[in-house]
Structures are given as structure tokens and as C-alpha cells.
Amino acid sequence: MVYPGPYEQGEFALSEHQLRSYRNKGFIQLRGLLHETEVADLLREAKNLVTASARERRPEAVFESDGREVRSVFRGHELNSVFDRLMRDGRMLDVARQILGSDVYIHQSRLNLKPGYAGKEFYWHSDFETWHVEDGMPRMRAVSCVVLLDENNEFNAPLMLVPGSHMHYIVCIGQTPQDHYKKSLRKQEFGVPDPTSLGFLMERGGVQSAKGPAGSVLFFDCNMMHGSNSNISPYPRSNLFFVYNSMENRLESPQHGLQPRPEFIAARGADLSLERVAPTPR
Ligand code: 6CS
Ligand code: FE
């Protein structure tokens, strides 16, 4: 969804054509938005963050089922000053504010490692379905911003998206257990759409993979049906996700009497919108 607001003329705002494409498809990829030296810095920071989080067995570090490989590290924007600066960078923030039509804050950030040979799949899902039910996010007024730290190609399990799927809310079958995140972040079993609903969406919109060079940035609607395969290639596929939520869409109580999820997965304390920083000169 695209919302009207005071940020339509931001320095890095999308053009009318780009915004129309985002509104219809539910996503847009900007190739080469970040330059090589920035990406190299981000990869170095990512490796340091993973090593430290794994060594200290921080709750923000989610391991693959083998208990060895790190699958994701959450809350990097608060654990690392380079990531903090990046999510305030006008090249990302101007687009998020334009799409959401308001000031924004970070609902969640995560570094998905997808290491070569060992990165396991993320089955099809809508993030909003989880954030609405388990975090109490009221409306579809959030956007995920994905910074490709590695090249995403046909071999290393790029993100797959279903164009137009953001326009349909798929109710999922089953009762979400308390503390579901302890399993779902590794292998999601609840909040998973049924094959008939997936077929309905894919017949209409097909499937598109977000392949692109490192330094590309993908924006996708919070209700976009997406997933990714296991990575059996030798090439890692590290992607850095920032979820911008509108300050007008802050979390309420989770559905069905569920307890709120931990702050590192779903920020509730944000009472200030993000302060923008200018991009680092090339
Ligand atoms: O539960 C969540 O918030 C996480 N789960 C998935 C599969 N994607 C969004 C998010 O990282
Ligand atoms: Fe997701």
C-alpha cells in the first residue's frame, strides 16, 4: 500500500512511474543503490556482528536447526552504529517515508545470512500476517527494505515474491502457540498459507525472484507473499532487512490473547521517529 503524506518530494523519493509500479506489484528493486565500498564495510560489520552474537549466544542470534550455522541476527540497527546510520540514510528513509506517508520507525531489523551449502529455506509467508497476529500491528502500513550484501543470483536462493499478492490478506489455519517465535524464526509452522491460497495468488501474479548485484535495495510491502529456498550453492546470500513502520501504525495488543513478542523482534518502545542522515559521499 502507498499512503499520501508530506514526504512525496524527498531527495531520493521514487518517481511517479516507480511509485505506480510499487503500488501495483507490491515491491520495487533499485539496483546498485549502494556503492562497492559501502557494501564491503557492511559485510565486514555483518561478519563482526554474527561472530559476537554467536559467541555470546545472544537471543538476537537465531541458529539453523543444526545449532551451528547462524541463520539470522536481529536488532542489528541497535547493536551496530554502521547499520544504525544505514537505516537513517536518505536513500532508504526517503522512500520508506514516501510509501508510508508519515514519519517512520524501525519495527524490526534482521540480517539473514543464508550461508553457502547450509542456509535453510524460508517457506512462503506474509510478514504482516505474523506482525498483525503476533505483534498487534494494526494495518498494512509498513515496508521491508532489503539491502543485498551479496549478489543474489539463481543459485544462492534469492528472495521470491508474488507480484500483486499484497492486495490479498490470507488467513492462516491453526492456533498460534505462545512463544511461537522460538520455532518460527527457524522453521515456520503456523501463519503458513495453504496451497490453495498460494495457487490463487500465483495464478494471478506469478513468481518473481529478487536477483541483483550486491548493493541493490529491494522495498516490499509488509503483506507481500514471499519466501526463499535453501542455499545449496557455495555462494553466501547475506541480506540485511530493515522494517519501517509508520508512526501512525504502532503496535497494539497481539491477537487471541497472545503475549507480546520480545523487543528485539517487535519494537514497542519507539516514541521518536528516525532522524535522517545524508548518504556518505562516493
Ligand atoms: O516473525 C517474524 O517477524 C519474522 N518471520 C519471518 C518468516 N519473516 C519476517 C520476520 O523476520
Ligand atoms: Fe519474512
Side-chain angles (χ1 to χ4, degrees):
M1 314 308 163
V2 175
Y3 293 81
Y7 289 112
E8 281 148 16
Q9 307 304 325
E11 181 184 356
F12 295 94
L14 299 176
S15 68
E16 195 39 53
H17 173 73
Q18 288 175 317
L19 200 63
R20 194 167 39 251
S21 171
Y22 178 87
R23 187 183 283 113
N24 297 334
K25 287 174 68 175
F27 61 88
I28 188 165
Q29 180 147 319
L30 306 178
R31 290 170 72 91
L33 194 62
L34 304 186
H35 48 86
E36 279 167 24
T37 50
E38 286 183 293
V39 175
D41 289 348
L42 291 168
L43 268 177
R44 184 193 63 242
E45 297 299 327
K47 284 187 174 57
N48 295 341
L49 180 65
V50 170
T51 307
S53 307
R55 187 182 55 238
E56 294 156 30
R57 305 302 278 191
R58 281 189 188 140
E60 290 88 349
V62 177
F63 288 81
E64 294 287 6
S65 307
D66 67 8
R68 282 198 321 273
E69 293 287 347
V70 177
R71 177 176 173 85
S72 303
V73 179
F74 283 77
R75 207 166 64 89
H77 66 291
E78 291 180 331
L79 296 170
N80 179 287
S81 60
V82 175
F83 289 1
D84 172 77
R85 182 181 174 84
L86 183 68
M87 50 99 188
R88 298 168 190 277
D89 184 305
R91 289 167 294 179
M92 271 64 68
L93 192 57
D94 291 357
V95 176
R97 284 172 165 174
Q98 176 190 25
I99 288 172
L100 302 180
S102 71
D103 284 333
V104 300
Y105 72 97
I106 295 291
H107 163 67
Q108 175 187 108
S109 79
R110 66 192 180 280
L111 172 66
N112 279 354
L113 282 302
K114 257 320 161 91
Y117 300 121
K120 294 292 175 254
E121 79 277 3
F122 288 82
Y123 190 74
W124 295 108
H125 65 282
S126 152
D127 292 340
F128 177 73
E129 194 278 340
T130 297
W131 297 338
H132 181 61
V133 171
E134 300 186 46
D135 297 333
M137 183 182 279
R139 289 187 310 284
M140 298 176 188
R141 193 171 180 181
V143 58
S144 285
C145 171
V146 192
V147 180
L148 278 58
L149 300 185
D150 290 306
E151 177 194 359
N152 280 223
N153 57 46
E154 57 271 39
F155 308 112
N156 65 348
L159 209 56
M160 297 181 292
L161 306 146
V162 181
S165 61
H166 62 306
M167 305 302 276
H168 304 273
Y169 182 76
I170 305 294
V171 176
C172 297
I173 300 153
Q175 184 174 349
T176 306
Q178 189 53 54
D179 293 343
H180 177 223
Y181 71 93
K182 290 180 179 168
K183 285 188 74 178
S184 68
L185 297 180
R186 183 170 294 137
K187 188 170 177 48
Q188 192 163 357
E189 286 165 24
F190 294 89
V192 173
D194 62 281
T196 307
S197 302
L198 284 170
F200 165 82
L201 296 174
M202 293 177 188
E203 271 152 37
R204 273 154 188 75
V207 179
Q208 220 169 305
S209 80
K211 292 187 282 193
S216 302
V217 176
L218 168 76
F219 294 89
F220 66 92
D221 185 276
C222 57
N223 189 45
M224 170 57 52
M225 192 58 69
H226 64 289
S228 58
N229 290 315
S230 295
N231 182 9
I232 58 170
S233 83
Y235 319 116
R237 193 228 69 184
S238 305
N239 286 348
L240 179 58
F241 291 68
F242 295 133
V243 180
Y244 294 99
N245 189 23
S246 167
M247 288 297 278
E248 318 299 322
N249 194 39
R250 267 171 287 182
L251 305 186
E252 297 170 355
S253 304
Q255 308 272 317
H256 315 306
L258 286 167
Q259 291 305 304
R261 299 200 297 173
E263 190 71 16
F264 75 84
I265 300 180
R268 290 178 176 276
D271 53 8
L272 279 178
S273 67
L274 293 178
E275 198 177 310
R276 182 183 187 277
V277 296
T280 41
R282 282 182 178 266

